Amino acid sequence: MQRLIVFFCVLTLSVFSLNAEVSLRNLIKYDKSECLERLETATNEELWDAFLEGQAELFFEPEFQWIANQDWWKNVISVLEIGSGNGAYLSKLADQFQEKIFLGIEKLSLSVKQANERYAREKVVFQEGDAEVFNEQLLNSAEVVLFRLTLQHLKKPLLALQNTWHYL
């Protein structure tokens, strides 16, 4: 268990700063005991937010390189991410492809709020929604739909994929 926690301390290197003496963003700068203490006092929401930020930082580059080199991607204008979490990944993608329009859909209202506060801008918007509930407003709205770390959390992933078919 301690190895997992220490790994989490390393994973959260690039995570947002909380208004706390030892922030999740900077855990790697502190010794192991401070790191463990901060992790023990963090809320589930803080931990999930830290994980999403760290995951976007750690894995963005190879995913970006793959996407950027796809012929089908070059003509895409509208991108929908279902399960956008705190918006970190979609924002990084939007930074690289500024000509595209990005919409992130997320079920957790706190994550939507964080995403809009941190990353929303002219061509990047986040709104609350559920992958397993059909949203008429999304009908024919996207040329590409992204699912990252989402399908495995759903009770009915096939339903989410069926809904997605209508959004394309």
Side-chain angles (χ1 to χ4, degrees):
M1 181 66 168
Q2 279 195 333
R3 284 185 181 167
L4 176 62
I5 292 172
V6 171
F7 171 74
F8 190 82
C9 290
V10 173
L11 177 66
T12 58
L13 171 63
S14 60
V15 177
F16 79 101
S17 177
L18 300 171
N19 292 326
E21 191 172 310
V22 179
S23 73
L24 289 177
R25 166 170 272 170
N26 299 311
L27 285 177
I28 195 70
K29 295 179 182 177
Y30 304 98
D31 67 35
K32 181 179 172 182
S33 63
E34 283 185 271
C35 180
L36 293 171
E37 182 180 320
R38 180 62 184 105
L39 285 172
E40 287 175 5
T41 61
T43 66
N44 286 341
E45 290 81 12
E46 290 172 324
L47 291 172
W48 185 241
D49 188 54
F51 173 79
L52 291 175
E53 290 281 341
Q55 185 275 340
E57 282 295 320
L58 289 171
F59 301 111
F60 180 78
E61 192 60 32
E63 292 177 23
F64 160 72
Q65 291 299 327
W66 182 83
I67 289 171
N69 290 318
Q70 301 303 307
D71 289 336
W72 53 264
W73 179 255
K74 292 173 177 57
N75 295 321
V76 167
I77 300 293
S78 57
V79 178
L80 170 63
E81 182 181 22
I82 297 179
S84 58
N86 64 4
Y89 181 83
L90 199 62
S91 176
K92 290 180 80 57
L93 199 59
D95 290 344
Q96 298 298 318
F97 301 103
Q98 296 178 10
E99 72 283 1
K100 299 183 187 317
I101 299 168
F102 297 88
L103 172 61
I105 301 295
E106 172 58 45
K107 186 175 183 176
L108 301 174
S109 57
L110 178 60
S111 294
V112 174
K113 181 179 183 283
Q114 291 170 337
N116 278 311
E117 288 173 355
R118 294 178 192 154
Y119 303 116
R121 49 193 182 271
E122 185 179 341
K123 293 184 176 183
V124 183
V125 178
F126 301 92
Q127 62 186 31
E128 199 167 333
D130 188 329
E132 297 170 307
V133 176
F134 182 74
N135 184 337
E136 185 78 31
Q137 293 177 332
L138 297 177
L139 189 64
N140 301 316
S141 67
E143 294 169 279
V144 169
V145 177
L146 304 174
F147 280 92
R148 294 185 69 259
L149 300 173
T150 300
L151 289 173
Q152 71 271 24
H153 296 286
L154 302 178
K155 292 178 182 168
K156 299 178 183 175
L158 182 57
L159 178 59
L161 292 171
Q162 290 168 337
N163 290 339
T164 300
W165 172 257
H166 297 286
Y167 303 158
L168 292 169

